[in-house]
Amino acid sequence: MKPHLSDLYKWTGTIHRGPFLFWGTILTILKFNLDRWTLISHLGQHVWYPWSYWIPGDVFGVLSSAPERKEVARLLVLIALPFVYMGVVLTVRRLRALGWPLALVILFFIPVVNLLFFALLVVLPSRPATEFPADPAVARRLFIVRLVPESGMGAAVSAILITALLGAGMVYVFTIILSSYGWGIFLGIPFFLGLFSTLVFTVRGARPFKECASVATLSVIVLSGILLGLALEGFICILMAAPIGILLALLGALVGHLIVSVKTAGRERAMMLWMLVLLTPGLLAAEASHPPGPAVYSAIDRIVVDAPAPQVWDTLKAIDTLTVPKPLLLRMGLPVPVRCTLEREGVGARRTCIFEKGTIDERVLEWEPPRRMRLEIVRSTLPGRHWLGFREAIYELDSEAGRTRITRTTTYTSILEPRWYWGALEKFGLSSMHSYVLEDLQARFNKHVPAAAK
């Protein structure tokens, strides 16, 4: 079937994979060059790459927060609107051709996942061409079939273990070796887990979606256990990532179940399995090769203590011990401060904060007793949290009628994506560490502890 211009704006009807691939390729090339020309003409430099459409943050993450670049950001959005319209039209018609729910068009907007989804829409033939049983001769030649027992329980265990081990390998390579914590890790890998585990689980025959969903969910849980057992990630990080991970794994399982429901031939099943194994790491590699620069953030917390500023200053500059109850997140695995030592007073002095596991070495940049102390964080040996970089720690003391308001600020960098999810969680974690120290100071001085001012 030949491509027609009406494919780009006509909502009714279907579109076959050939025209779908043709228009997808043409629109991608056209939009890439329009965006590239716009950025060069406005900024005088090339800051856009083909994979930036699936790994956002390079341009929109910078331009939207830079006042001097808001004009070009708005222009890029205007350019994108007609392409979004045409992309949604093509996706809806392709879903209709496969007999899949049109609501799956939402995957068009999920970074990394949308490229995997696009590849599937290209590989799979339209529904009328797939109304035939899987080719048993081809299926027998699939290596994966030899690893999957015929029984339901055996197939489930095999699918979970194979998928979780592949996922663990990808997480290790791209987080520990390449220090990449972008969209691909938190969106692409969970979707891969759900889709791949379902295709493996059903390689010997279709199974109910409830079972596919269970296998996908257990794949995420087993992968989490592997990461936790090998100390590749902490319990809190895994717990926070779980909601997104499980949701995307279920979406992947749904797509996998739909693929099986149209009786995909063995040859096409093999193509999809290889595509997933090769394309997912390829996307992660593209993201790791051009990571966006780490953005700088601040976590600020305040508390009021019943003591004059000079007395608080003397205690604050070198804390000998912390005795108040630990906040929940510290009990669950966040670094727990123990004490801080100061080699001498004044600018350039070294201050060391000792935690239950690891230390943070600081150097005094500003020393204004009893009002302000600003410290540069020189080195951290806290385990894990490879994505987080500490910059500065600031203590500010303000007198209030014989009492003192302490403001604690930590400046840090992070490469975790997506920021709309991780940003608030990171600040919450740092605020828990702040609160532990500040509430200990409050308990030292307050005879009758007033409400904390935050």
Side-chain angles (χ1 to χ4, degrees), residues 153-207:
M153 180 61 71
V157 172
S158 297
I160 292 168
L161 291 179
I162 293 170
T163 306
L165 289 174
L166 282 173
M170 286 189 281
V171 170
Y172 177 80
V173 169
F174 291 102
T175 61
I176 305 303
I177 297 179
L178 299 179
S179 298
S180 175
Y181 285 88
W183 293 78
I185 295 297
F186 296 105
L187 301 184
I189 287 184
F191 185 79
F192 165 85
L193 292 175
L195 178 54
F196 191 84
S197 64
T198 299
L199 293 178
V200 174
F201 178 50
T202 59
V203 75
R204 290 185 179 272
R207 300 183 186 276

Side-chain angles (χ1 to χ4, degrees), residues 41-293:
S41 62
H42 283 73
L43 304 179
Q45 58 182 346
H46 181 203
V47 293
W48 194 242
Y49 306 94
W51 49 84
S52 298
Y53 297 107
W54 299 287
I55 307 169
D58 189 11
V59 169
F60 289 101
V62 173
L63 298 181
S64 60
S65 60
E68 69 278 8
R69 296 182 173 183
K70 285 186 178 180
E71 180 181 350
V72 67
R74 287 193 290 266
L75 184 56
L76 288 171
V77 171
L78 289 175
I79 292 173
L81 291 177
F83 288 92
V84 170
Y85 175 85
M86 289 183 286
V88 170
V89 168
L90 288 169
T91 303
V92 166
R93 298 183 68 188
R94 187 74 192 121
L95 289 170
R96 192 178 288 123
L98 291 169
W100 290 6
L102 300 187
L104 287 178
V105 73
I106 191 65
L107 299 182
F108 176 85
F109 299 97
I110 302 178
V112 181
V113 171
N114 53 11
L115 187 55
L116 292 171
F117 187 54
F118 176 81
L120 287 172
L121 296 181
V122 170
V123 168
L124 291 170
S126 300
R127 191 178 185 100
T130 58
E131 294 297 338
F132 51 80
D135 184 349
V138 175
R140 282 194 297 270
R141 292 198 295 269
L142 293 177
F143 172 73
I144 198 71
V145 175
R146 305 173 196 171
L147 303 178
V148 180
E150 293 187 6
S151 68
M153 180 61 71
V157 172
S158 297
I160 292 168
L161 291 179
I162 293 170
T163 306
L165 289 174
L166 282 173
M170 286 189 281
V171 170
Y172 177 80
V173 169
F174 291 102
T175 61
I176 305 303
I177 297 179
L178 299 179
S179 298
S180 175
Y181 285 88
W183 293 78
I185 295 297
F186 296 105
L187 301 184
I189 287 184
F191 185 79
F192 165 85
L193 292 175
L195 178 54
F196 191 84
S197 64
T198 299
L199 293 178
V200 174
F201 178 50
T202 59
V203 75
R204 290 185 179 272
R207 300 183 186 276
F209 175 69
K210 179 187 283 189
E211 295 181 10
C212 296
S214 299
V215 167
T217 303
L218 288 172
S219 296
V220 175
I221 294 173
V222 171
L223 172 59
S224 300
I226 293 173
L227 299 179
L228 189 61
L230 297 177
L232 297 179
E233 292 296 343
F235 175 73
I236 292 181
C237 298
I238 291 174
L239 184 65
M240 297 304 182
I244 289 182
I246 292 176
L247 177 60
L248 285 168
L250 291 175
L251 280 175
L254 175 60
V255 173
H257 184 261
L258 291 170
I259 291 172
V260 175
S261 69
V262 295
K263 302 177 182 178
T264 311
R267 184 179 297 103
E268 288 148 359
R269 182 77 64 86
M271 188 183 300
M272 282 183 290
L273 288 170
W274 278 112
M275 179 194 72
L276 291 172
V277 171
L278 297 176
L279 185 57
T280 304
L283 288 172
L284 295 175
E287 181 179 34
S289 64
H290 289 81

Side-chain angles (χ1 to χ4, degrees), residues 178-454:
L178 299 179
S179 298
S180 175
Y181 285 88
W183 293 78
I185 295 297
F186 296 105
L187 301 184
I189 287 184
F191 185 79
F192 165 85
L193 292 175
L195 178 54
F196 191 84
S197 64
T198 299
L199 293 178
V200 174
F201 178 50
T202 59
V203 75
R204 290 185 179 272
R207 300 183 186 276
F209 175 69
K210 179 187 283 189
E211 295 181 10
C212 296
S214 299
V215 167
T217 303
L218 288 172
S219 296
V220 175
I221 294 173
V222 171
L223 172 59
S224 300
I226 293 173
L227 299 179
L228 189 61
L230 297 177
L232 297 179
E233 292 296 343
F235 175 73
I236 292 181
C237 298
I238 291 174
L239 184 65
M240 297 304 182
I244 289 182
I246 292 176
L247 177 60
L248 285 168
L250 291 175
L251 280 175
L254 175 60
V255 173
H257 184 261
L258 291 170
I259 291 172
V260 175
S261 69
V262 295
K263 302 177 182 178
T264 311
R267 184 179 297 103
E268 288 148 359
R269 182 77 64 86
M271 188 183 300
M272 282 183 290
L273 288 170
W274 278 112
M275 179 194 72
L276 291 172
V277 171
L278 297 176
L279 185 57
T280 304
L283 288 172
L284 295 175
E287 181 179 34
S289 64
H290 289 81
V296 180
Y297 307 95
S298 295
I300 304 173
D301 291 276
R302 298 177 177 87
I303 205 166
V304 174
V305 300
D306 192 13
Q311 188 178 353
V312 176
W313 178 273
D314 289 337
T315 303
L316 181 63
K317 62 187 179 183
I319 301 172
D320 54 357
T321 184
L322 296 166
T323 59
V324 295
K326 299 174 186 175
L328 176 62
L329 289 184
L330 270 65
R331 294 199 301 270
M332 293 175 64
L334 275 187
V336 180
V338 176
R339 65 182 185 277
C340 292
T341 62
L342 182 68
E343 63 174 7
R344 61 180 177 83
E345 297 188 1
V347 174
R350 178 180 175 180
R351 186 173 185 262
T352 302
C353 291
I354 301 169
F355 291 71
E356 288 185 353
K357 295 180 181 179
T359 60
I360 291 181
D361 295 328
E362 304 168 331
R363 184 172 63 89
V364 178
L365 297 179
E366 295 181 25
W367 184 264
E368 303 175 14
R371 191 177 64 86
R372 177 180 170 87
M373 178 169 52
R374 183 165 72 94
L375 306 125
E376 175 190 17
I377 299 175
V378 178
R379 187 172 70 100
S380 170
T381 63
L382 300 182
R385 294 159 189 86
H386 314 284
W387 67 90
L388 201 63
F390 296 106
R391 290 282 185 88
E392 289 185 346
I394 302 173
Y395 288 94
E396 295 174 294
L397 280 63
D398 297 298
S399 297
E400 296 182 347
R403 303 168 68 198
T404 302
R405 184 177 74 246
I406 308 171
T407 302
R408 172 70 159 92
T409 303
T410 295
T411 304
Y412 63 98
T413 62
S414 176
I415 57 175
L416 272 185
E417 295 288 351
R419 292 308 304 166
W420 55 263
Y421 183 77
W422 290 109
L425 296 175
E426 286 173 346
K427 286 190 176 182
F428 183 48
L430 288 170
S431 291
S432 294
M433 297 168 64
H434 288 176
S435 297
Y436 185 45
V437 175
L438 294 176
E439 289 174 7
D440 183 84
L441 288 169
Q442 188 183 62
R444 289 170 185 260
F445 295 109
N446 289 22
K447 303 301 182 182
H448 302 286
V449 180
K454 293 191 177 182

